[in-house]
């Protein structure tokens, strides 16, 4: 397939998003060309524009979550065929990004979508499950993870039974999937923070206790002590703003591990006062090492089909690719709660 397609471009660093025409890419070895039906929006998309970070290859396309229909299969691909419904971890460079109507998908970060899952539901999954899985399970020295065993491999299911975990920000996309992976791994109790109107939702996916995200570190500590007398040896900060990072560090037990999903901004004086806590800044930006033997993408179709992993609630930002700019504005202003914002690139006029 060749020709032009609609895409939302960021022409220059910290410039304005602009709708334009770009060539439809051709799949190479180990790649698929996918007609994108649903694109998911991520905080990273507005951060790249606002702060001029991560990308230098301007003009750039962004968009790191995609779902659609396989249009063409490249050489050396097994297990995928034209017409398959798939979701994939999009990015990091233009041909692979999701702010366009057709993109390349690398098969090692692509999964077939089971028939019980819609494109919109499927597109809520890639970045969330990847971040959760890599942050908890990665062993590779180039990707930092807590080096646990994935629950979908070997004897990983239920392996951490009876061990508590604290997950700050359970209603974020990253939190939504981390709670579910922790549930499959057997962690208990699974304590999370969120706005309390999300309590039922978070309990339905595996959180055992939902605490108000506005509590101070001291108040949270008091509540956690009422829930379990065990030390909290694993803390996951799905939000990883300086305020949550510092709080998470305080709540990690001596000798325990804290996983962050952004760069470490914990106060050095706090670290000096409480030495011996292991901080993992899990930054999943290096596409080449996304898979790292965790088996996540191979396991995903079954996990979605049997309901072990549930997609997020989704909200559509209307207008095809033109829905991206207002959607990113909502994300930036914290106007999205416990939902993945999606757009439908094929509806672009
Ligand atoms: N390292 C990586 O590979 C990687 C990958 C993906 C994302 N990230 C980063 O991870 C962070 C989360 O991304 P996301 O896509 O999951 O975000 P998101 O879904 O857009 O997050 C929105 C949610 O965050 C919750 N929230 C905001 N501030 C909070 C706080 N102080 N305490 C508890 N909950 C809070 C809100 O909860 P309520 O509505 O309940 O109040 C809301 O539901 C972002 O900084 C993103 O850049 C990193």
């Amino acid at each position: 397939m060749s020709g032009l397609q609609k895409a939302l471009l960021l022409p220059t660093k910290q410039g304005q998003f602009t709708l334009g025409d770009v060539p439809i890419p051709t799949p190479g070895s180990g790649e698929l060309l996918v007609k994108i039906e649903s694109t998911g929006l991520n905080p990273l998309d507005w951060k790249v524009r606002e702060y001029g970070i991560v990308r230098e290859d301007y003009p750039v396309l962004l968009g790191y979550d995609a779902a659609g229909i396989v249009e063409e299969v490249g050489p050396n691909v097994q297990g995928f065929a034209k017409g398959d419904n798939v979701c994939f971890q999009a990015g990091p460079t233009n041909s692979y990004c999701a702010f366009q109507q057709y993109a390349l998908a690398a098969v090692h970060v692509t999964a077939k979508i089971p028939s019980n899952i819609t494109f919109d539901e499927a597109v809520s999954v890639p970045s969330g499950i990847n971040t959760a899985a890599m942050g908890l399970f990665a062993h590779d020295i180039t990707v930092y993870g807590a080096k646990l065993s994935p629950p979908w491999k070997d004897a990983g299911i239920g392996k951490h039974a009876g061990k508590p975990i604290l997950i700050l920000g359970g209603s974020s996309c990253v939190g939504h999937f981390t709670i579910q992976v922790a549930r499959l791994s057997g962690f208990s109790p699974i304590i999370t923070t969120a706005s309390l109107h999300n309590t039922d939702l978070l309990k339905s996916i595996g959180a055992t206790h939902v605490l108000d995200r506005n509590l101070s570190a001291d108040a949270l500590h008091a509540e956690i002590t009422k829930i379990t007398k065990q030390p909290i040896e694993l803390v996951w900060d799905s939000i990883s703003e300086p305020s949550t990072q510092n709080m998470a560090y305080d709540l990690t037990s001596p000798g325990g591990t804290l996983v962050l999903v952004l760069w470490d901004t914990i106060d050095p004086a706090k670290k000096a006062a409480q030495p011996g806590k292991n901080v993992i800044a899990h930054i999943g930006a290096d596409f080449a090492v996304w898979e790292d033997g965790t088996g996540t993408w191979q396991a995903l179709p079954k996990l979605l089909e049997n309901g072990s992993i549930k997609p997020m609630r989704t909200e559509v930002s209307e207008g095809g690719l033109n829905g991206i700019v207002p959607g990113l504005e909502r994300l930036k202003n914290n106007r999205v709660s416990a939902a993945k914002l999606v757009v439908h690139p094929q509806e672009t006029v």
Side-chain angles (χ1 to χ4, degrees):
M1 189 178 179
S2 59
L4 293 177
Q5 57 163 332
K6 297 272 177 238
L8 191 76
L9 293 142
L10 189 55
T12 55
K13 197 175 266 206
Q14 294 179 297
Q16 298 301 322
F17 283 112
T18 311
L19 196 63
D21 293 320
V22 301
I24 296 173
T26 302
S29 180
E31 295 175 349
L32 310 167
L33 176 68
V34 178
K35 180 183 182 190
I36 302 179
E37 298 293 341
S38 297
T39 288
L41 307 190
N42 280 288
L44 181 61
D45 298 318
W46 69 259
K47 290 178 187 175
V48 170
R49 197 199 79 78
E50 185 93 0
Y51 305 129
I53 55 172
V54 178
R55 299 290 294 273
E56 298 295 337
D57 50 331
Y58 288 88
V60 297
L61 298 182
L62 304 176
Y64 297 92
D65 285 300
I69 306 165
V70 175
E71 184 72 29
E72 208 175 310
V73 178
N76 304 315
V77 171
Q78 283 168 357
F80 293 93
K82 183 175 162 76
D84 282 346
N85 293 347
V86 295
C87 62
F88 60 100
Q89 178 70 64
T93 52
N94 286 1
S95 301
Y96 303 87
C97 280
F99 286 2
Q100 55 190 334
Q101 294 175 311
Y102 292 84
L104 300 181
V107 290
H108 70 286
V109 286
T110 301
K112 283 192 203 168
I113 304 172
S115 58
N116 57 323
I117 303 290
T118 65
F119 287 124
D120 282 358
E121 289 173 326
V123 88
S124 75
V125 179
S127 291
I129 193 90
N130 238 350
T131 307
M134 298 299 280
L136 288 173
F137 309 128
H139 285 67
D140 189 295
I141 53 162
T142 57
V143 182
Y144 301 101
K147 301 186 180 179
L148 308 182
S149 304
W152 40 82
K153 280 183 100 177
D154 308 322
I157 189 125
K159 185 163 184 191
H160 302 281
K163 284 240 171 207
I165 185 170
L166 171 64
I167 299 170
L168 297 186
S171 65
S172 66
C173 177
V174 169
H176 179 92
F177 290 98
T178 307
I179 287 172
Q180 296 187 83
V181 171
R183 187 197 78 235
L184 293 174
S185 294
F187 282 99
S188 181
I190 297 173
I191 306 168
T192 193
T193 59
S195 293
L196 292 182
H197 65 86
N198 287 317
T199 299
D200 289 349
L201 173 72
L202 297 179
K203 287 193 169 175
S204 77
I205 56 169
T208 57
H209 300 80
V210 182
L211 300 175
D212 189 340
R213 61 173 263 194
N214 296 311
L215 292 177
S216 66
D218 284 347
L220 265 183
H221 184 258
E223 290 302 317
I224 292 166
T225 310
K226 287 183 211 162
I227 295 165
T228 178
K229 299 292 174 233
Q230 291 192 71
I232 309 292
E233 290 173 351
L234 184 57
V235 177
W236 174 284
D237 184 358
S238 317
I239 307 302
S240 292
E241 288 170 358
S243 60
T244 58
Q245 290 196 14
N246 281 296
M247 178 184 280
Y249 192 84
D250 283 339
L251 294 167
T252 304
S253 66
T257 296
L258 165 60
V259 185
L260 308 173
V261 295
L262 294 176
W263 292 271
D264 181 346
T265 53
I266 299 165
D267 181 357
K270 186 183 286 294
K271 283 189 177 170
Q274 302 174 55
K277 298 184 181 183
N278 177 27
V279 177
I280 297 169
H282 159 58
I283 310 299
D286 190 347
F287 184 77
V289 289
W290 270 115
E291 177 46 53
D292 185 44
T294 63
T296 309
W297 289 90
Q298 290 75 23
L300 198 50
K302 199 84 202 150
L303 294 168
L304 289 170
E305 185 177 29
N306 67 22
S308 297
I309 293 287
K310 292 197 185 338
M312 273 198 106
R313 195 173 68 77
T314 59
E315 292 176 22
V316 178
S317 190
E318 301 291 347
L321 294 168
N322 292 306
I324 291 173
V325 170
L328 293 183
E329 204 54 29
R330 280 185 63 195
L331 272 185
K332 184 176 134 188
N333 294 319
N334 296 312
R335 304 289 298 274
V336 182
S337 180
K340 187 79 171 171
L341 281 189
V342 307
V343 300
H344 298 152
Q346 303 304 323
E347 294 171 7
T348 311
V349 285

